[in-house]
Amino acid sequence: MVIITTYQGDQRSFHHHWCPLIYKHQECEFRISGKFVYPKDLKNIKVNSVDESDGPILKCPIDKIPTYRAMIELQKKPKNWIGTWLQIGEDWFYDVG
């Protein structure tokens, strides 16, 4: 599983919302574009990476945080699936914008 997003905004908000998700879901690769500070012990985060990976791939805005249910739905998708948070179901994302 891969989640792609672009960092923009508040560093504190990123640490508060995204870091726990990234730590919790070690099975998922998080590709984040932009310039930001993150814990270096996160092995499942790729910064400014363009390499291809096995899917499914979810493209998600930085202000839409996947809930547990969204992560389960993403796991159910076929490996070749590429989609947006709206295709998973917008009710399964926290809006922190």
Side-chain angles (χ1 to χ4, degrees):
M1 293 187 328
V2 178
I3 294 180
I4 299 174
T5 192
T6 300
Y7 172 78
Q8 51 189 329
D10 180 34
Q11 184 71 52
R12 185 177 297 162
S13 179
F14 174 80
H15 281 271
H16 182 75
H17 298 293
W18 280 95
C19 286
L21 183 73
I22 296 169
Y23 277 113
K24 168 89 174 133
H25 292 281
Q26 293 291 310
E27 78 283 2
C28 186
E29 179 180 298
F30 292 82
R31 285 199 220 143
I32 304 173
S33 302
K35 187 172 180 157
F36 61 101
V37 177
Y38 63 96
K40 300 303 182 208
D41 65 337
L42 287 171
K43 304 298 183 206
N44 57 332
I45 189 171
K46 307 279 189 215
V47 179
N48 299 320
S49 173
V50 294
D51 60 336
E52 296 298 318
S53 296
D54 282 339
I57 298 174
L58 172 64
K59 296 178 181 179
C60 183
I62 197 77
D63 62 346
K64 306 294 185 207
I65 311 299
T67 63
Y68 178 78
R69 183 66 186 168
M71 296 301 285
I72 295 298
E73 291 301 314
L74 181 57
Q75 287 177 338
K76 292 178 183 178
K77 299 292 185 191
K79 290 235 182 239
N80 63 348
W81 185 84
I82 300 173
T84 68
W85 67 285
L86 293 170
Q87 291 170 296
I88 295 279
E90 61 185 288
D91 291 340
W92 293 335
F93 291 79
Y94 295 114
D95 184 350
V96 296

